[in-house]
């Protein structure tokens, strides 16, 4: 057996490398020196594991990663490609972009000298890292170099078979496609996807999903500008056919963006622009794909007991303005909870699906229907939490509503001209330990949507504001929650050090409440709001203007 002294120091006793001192009093003292050397001398493999563990721990600091890297060099252990890739990933996860660039410079230098070689993982990590820090110039440089290196490899295989460049992979080129798609560079994204076909790379749903999302954004932008969107529709149809030929099964995200691009049930398709044979051909393809997408969306519910699928379909119905589809999807979810014997991995009625249902009804301007759903499915404070999922229950109850549910309910009640209920919802949020955000306050102060209500007698002007009594009650809930946060700042530290907090009392919120005080000629209420705005700015280390 051996004792480890922690470091190598001169000693009068017989010692071994790395501070392993032989202890003759313990059994096993006859181990040969070579075994001790193999046990205690670390290698690049050991440091790679330690670097990866530090980089994956979100509680770690970048100083720990740097010190471990320096300790590796102090032991004269040479980094390999995995070491540099692990360092890049650790810096990316910890947001240490300065050291990220330093590691990249070291890796490029050793690649030029032929010591270590940058592989496909290195390029993919560099592209992903610069994408996260939004250094698009560096992203374009890395994409160009990776593309050139992949083409060099492909060319070398067809000529002499020598290994030059890097071998392309699905992960790298899917990342390149995503880089172009997220920047709405649709032609470049489609061209990169076609290069994958030339390289004989297998494609998956993660390859096509960013392309359809970019096509949906382009279609929406053209519609807003009142421009022809048929070219975008034709591109979406081409990509759908390419996906089918590649034997890729579309997921819910792909089907949603495809349906919104081509127009589910041709809701947004302008068929009056079909003037020649080419447009007639596009219309024929559009009808075929439209029916296929509708069937796959319906079949997805039967083969997948997943709340994310229901949330995607509810969002799709809300964006399309198809309130009947929203109701049908929600009824399917409720019926599956009541009668299906299949045990879902996650509860179907959760904050994700319910907030999606509420937001879909709000998008369709069915505010009263959304408020009815809130009363029906959100658990009253006196209801037992054991009712969720119990067989035979008429109305499933949502347990543990999060902020997304409360924000959607605040928006629905405010647009339905029921601001008094918004005060109760804000109070319930605070009592449940959920701090209202600035978005929550904005939703609670939205003006009523008089055009969507059945009561035509209520007329609102652009100068509508909250009644003073409701505004004061709402303000009491907001200031109570903020005072609790201010009390957590005894040492004078700024508020952004307490996690991922954001200001709640912001300029537009304060301005609307001050306007309410001005209409009611209540100067005291206006001064309270202005003082709270200054305290909030001081809490976050900002200056109120």
């Amino acid at each position: 057996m051996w004792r480890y002294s922690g470091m190598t120091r001169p000693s009068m006793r017989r010692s071994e490398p790395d501070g392993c001192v032989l202890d003759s009093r313990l059994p096993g003292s006859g181990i040969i020196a070579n075994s001790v050397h193999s046990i205690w001398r670390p290698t690049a493999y050991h440091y790679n594991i330690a670097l990866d563990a530090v980089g994956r721990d979100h509680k770690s600091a970048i100083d720990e990663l740097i010190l471990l890297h320096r300790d590796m060099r102090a032991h004269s252990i040479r980094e390999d490609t995995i070491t540099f890739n692990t360092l890049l990933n650790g810096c990316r996860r910890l947001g240490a972009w300065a050291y990220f660039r330093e590691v990249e410079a070291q890796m490029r230098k050793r690649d030029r000298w032929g010591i270590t070689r940058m592989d496909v993982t290195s390029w993919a990590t560099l592209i992903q890292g610069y994408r996260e820090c939004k250094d698009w110039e560096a992203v374009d440089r890395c994409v160009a170099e990776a593309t050139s290196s992949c083409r060099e490899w492909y060319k070398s295989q067809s000529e002499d078979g020598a290994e030059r460049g890097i071998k392309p992979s699905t992960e790298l080129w899917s990342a390149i496609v995503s880089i172009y798609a997220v920047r709405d560079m649709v032609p470049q994204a489609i061209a990169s996807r076609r290069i994958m076909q030339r390289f004989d790379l297998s494609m998956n749903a993660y390859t096509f999903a960013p392309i359809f999302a970019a096509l949906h954004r382009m279609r929406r932008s053209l519609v807003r500008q009142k421009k022809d969107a048929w070219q975008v529709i034709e591109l979406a149809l081409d990509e759908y056919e390419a996906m089918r030929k590649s034997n890729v099964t579309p997921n819910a995200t792909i089907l949603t963006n495809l349906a919104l691009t081509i127009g589910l049930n041709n809701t947004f398709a302008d068929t009056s622009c079909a003037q020649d044979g080419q447009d007639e051909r596009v219309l024929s393809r559009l009808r075929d794909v439209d029916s296929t997408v509708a069937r796959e969306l319906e079949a997805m519910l039967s083969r997948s007991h997943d709340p994310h699928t229901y949330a995607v379909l509810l969002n799709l119905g809300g964006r399309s303005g198809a309130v009947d589809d929203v109701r049908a999807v929600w009824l399917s979810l409720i019926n599956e909870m009541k009668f299906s014997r299949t045990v879902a991995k996650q509860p179907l009625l959760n904050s994700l699906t319910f907030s999606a249902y509420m937001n879909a009804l709000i998008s369709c301007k069915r505010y009263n229907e959304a408020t009815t759903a809130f009363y029906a499915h959100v658990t009253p404070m006196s209801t037992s939490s054991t009712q969720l999922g119990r067989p035979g229950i008429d109305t499933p109850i949502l347990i543990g509503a999060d902020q997304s549910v409360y924000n959607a309910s605040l928006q629905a009640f405010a647009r339905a001209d029921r601001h008094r209920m918004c005060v109760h919802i804000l109070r319930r949020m605070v009592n449940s330990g959920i701090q209202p955000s600035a978005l929550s306050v904005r939703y609670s102060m939205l003006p009523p949507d008089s055009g969507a209500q059945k009561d035509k007698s209520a007329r609102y002007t652009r100068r509508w504001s909250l009644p003073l009594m409701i505004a004061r009650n709402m303000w009491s809930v907001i200031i109570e929650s903020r005072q609790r946060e201010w009390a957590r700042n005894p040492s004078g530290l700024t508020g952004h050090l307490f996690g991922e907090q954001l200001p709640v009392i912001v300029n537009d919120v304060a301005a609307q409440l001050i306007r309410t005080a001005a209409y009611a000629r209540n100067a005291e209420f206006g001064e309270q709001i202005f003082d709270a705005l200054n305290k909030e700015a001081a809490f976050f280390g900002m200056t109120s203007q």
Side-chain angles (χ1 to χ4, degrees):
M1 300 294 292
W2 300 88
R3 288 202 314 266
Y4 182 55
S5 61
M7 58 188 303
T8 304
R9 291 180 296 186
S11 174
M12 297 300 295
R13 302 176 62 186
R14 182 165 62 88
S15 62
E16 299 298 338
D18 295 335
C20 299
V21 181
L22 182 63
D23 192 345
S24 59
R25 296 172 299 176
L26 298 175
S29 58
I31 293 181
I32 59 175
N34 289 335
S35 299
V36 177
H37 182 82
S38 64
I39 293 174
W40 292 107
R41 184 170 180 81
T43 63
Y45 174 78
H46 303 128
Y47 274 99
N48 291 344
I49 295 175
L51 289 169
D52 184 62
V54 173
R56 289 179 182 274
D57 187 3
H58 67 279
K59 297 181 181 179
S60 301
I62 184 58
D63 293 340
E64 300 178 44
L65 198 70
I66 296 174
L67 288 175
L68 191 58
H69 186 205
R70 290 176 179 173
D71 185 72
M72 180 179 183
R73 291 185 169 182
H75 282 80
S76 300
I77 300 174
R78 189 173 67 182
E79 304 97 328
D80 55 13
T81 303
I82 298 177
T83 305
F84 284 114
N85 293 343
T86 306
L87 282 169
L88 288 174
N89 263 319
C91 294
R92 180 180 63 83
R93 293 190 182 100
L94 298 176
W97 304 118
Y99 201 67
F100 183 89
R101 291 179 171 86
E102 185 177 336
V103 172
E104 180 200 6
Q106 298 174 18
M107 184 171 57
R108 286 178 178 273
K109 185 189 299 183
R110 293 181 179 237
D111 183 68
R112 288 193 301 269
W113 292 348
I115 302 175
T116 56
R117 185 181 178 185
M118 295 177 65
D119 59 4
V120 65
T121 306
S122 306
W123 289 111
T125 307
L126 286 173
I127 292 171
Q128 182 65 23
Y130 283 124
R131 173 186 175 178
E132 291 181 5
C133 70
K134 296 184 176 6
D135 188 349
W136 300 115
E137 183 178 352
V139 167
D140 292 336
R141 184 183 69 248
C142 293
V143 167
E145 294 181 64
T147 303
S148 176
S149 186
C150 288
R151 286 175 175 169
E152 185 180 358
W153 179 90
Y154 187 75
K155 185 178 180 181
S156 67
Q157 296 298 307
S158 59
E159 291 179 352
D160 52 7
E163 283 287 341
R164 294 195 300 269
I166 58 172
K167 184 179 180 180
S169 69
T170 300
E171 291 75 16
L172 173 61
W173 279 94
S174 295
I176 293 176
V177 169
S178 178
I179 285 293
Y180 286 128
V182 77
R183 299 162 69 186
D184 292 334
M185 301 169 69
V186 176
Q188 291 85 342
I190 295 177
S192 300
R193 200 269 308 158
R194 291 173 179 171
I195 290 175
M196 294 181 67
Q197 284 183 316
R198 296 196 198 104
F199 288 154
D200 293 328
L201 297 175
S202 62
M203 291 178 284
N204 51 35
Y206 295 103
T207 306
F208 286 94
I211 296 178
F212 285 107
L215 287 170
H216 170 220
R217 291 192 297 269
M218 179 182 287
R219 166 68 190 272
R220 186 171 54 187
S221 175
L222 291 174
V223 170
R224 288 176 179 173
Q225 299 174 20
K226 298 182 179 180
K227 294 182 180 179
D228 185 17
W230 275 104
Q231 186 177 4
V232 179
I233 294 175
E234 191 165 5
L235 283 175
L237 296 176
D238 293 339
E239 290 302 302
Y240 181 76
E241 291 178 0
M243 181 178 62
R244 282 307 191 189
K245 290 178 181 179
S246 302
N247 296 322
V248 175
T249 302
N251 55 25
T253 303
I254 291 177
L255 292 176
T256 299
N257 286 310
L258 177 61
L260 291 172
T261 302
I262 66 176
L264 189 62
N265 295 326
N266 292 338
T267 305
F268 301 107
D270 186 7
T271 55
S272 63
C273 65
Q275 298 176 353
D276 51 24
Q278 182 180 3
D279 289 333
E280 290 293 344
R281 181 177 57 83
V282 174
L283 280 175
S284 177
R285 295 172 60 196
L286 181 62
R287 284 190 290 268
D288 294 340
V289 174
D290 185 32
S291 59
T292 303
V293 170
R295 287 196 303 269
E296 291 191 0
L297 286 172
E298 293 173 0
M300 190 171 290
L301 291 179
S302 61
R303 68 173 182 262
S304 175
H305 304 276
D306 186 5
H308 294 85
T309 304
Y310 282 100
V312 167
L313 295 176
L314 289 168
N315 288 328
L316 172 61
R319 293 179 186 179
S320 302
V323 66
D324 292 334
D325 293 342
V326 172
R327 292 167 179 161
V329 173
W330 185 252
L331 181 61
S332 176
L333 183 146
I334 297 300
N335 289 336
E336 185 172 353
M337 290 190 65
K338 289 180 180 179
F339 307 114
S340 178
R341 296 182 179 180
T342 304
V343 179
K345 295 181 180 179
Q346 302 178 17
L348 294 181
L349 181 58
N350 56 18
S351 296
L352 175 67
T353 53
F354 188 74
S355 61
Y357 177 54
M358 293 277 289
N359 287 319
L361 292 175
I362 292 169
S363 299
C364 298
K365 295 188 176 182
R366 298 298 194 274
Y367 307 121
N368 290 327
E369 193 171 344
T371 58
T372 303
F374 179 81
Y375 284 127
H377 297 288
V378 176
T379 310
M381 298 182 68
S382 59
T383 302
S384 173
S385 62
T386 59
Q387 291 182 349
L388 180 62
R390 180 177 295 177
I393 188 171
D394 292 334
T395 303
I397 302 300
L398 172 66
I399 305 297
D402 63 7
Q403 194 171 53
S404 63
V405 173
Y406 287 116
N407 285 349
S409 61
L410 286 170
Q411 188 177 2
F413 279 103
R415 300 300 267 173
D417 196 13
R418 302 178 66 179
H419 294 86
R420 196 180 300 275
M421 185 63 190
C422 292
V423 178
H424 294 291
I425 295 175
L426 287 172
R427 172 64 64 184
R428 181 169 176 172
M429 288 179 68
V430 175
N431 293 339
S432 301
I434 302 174
Q435 296 297 326
S437 63
L439 189 62
S440 307
V441 181
R442 290 191 185 104
Y443 282 154
S444 63
M445 295 190 296
L446 283 174
D449 189 355
S450 57
Q453 306 305 315
K454 295 182 180 179
D455 186 8
K456 300 296 183 180
S457 61
R459 300 296 180 185
Y460 299 99
T461 65
R462 293 182 180 179
R463 292 184 174 273
W464 178 91
S465 65
L466 280 171
L468 179 62
M469 182 178 296
I470 296 177
R472 292 185 71 97
N473 293 336
M474 195 176 294
W475 175 251
S476 65
V477 178
I478 298 169
I479 196 65
E480 178 184 342
S481 66
R482 296 313 300 158
Q483 285 175 346
R484 294 178 184 175
E485 295 298 320
W486 296 341
R488 295 172 54 195
N489 188 19
S491 59
L493 297 176
T494 54
H496 67 277
L497 296 180
F498 294 103
E500 297 292 334
Q501 282 196 43
L502 290 174
V504 176
I505 305 174
V506 293
N507 288 342
D508 61 308
V509 170
Q512 189 166 349
L513 290 171
I514 289 174
R515 188 180 67 174
T516 301
Y519 285 167
R521 301 183 184 278
N522 192 323
E524 181 184 358
F525 184 43
E527 291 176 356
Q528 293 176 4
I529 298 166
F530 190 72
D531 292 341
L533 180 64
N534 289 330
K535 290 181 180 178
E536 186 83 325
F539 180 71
F540 283 90
M542 300 181 296
T543 303
S544 61
Q545 297 180 355

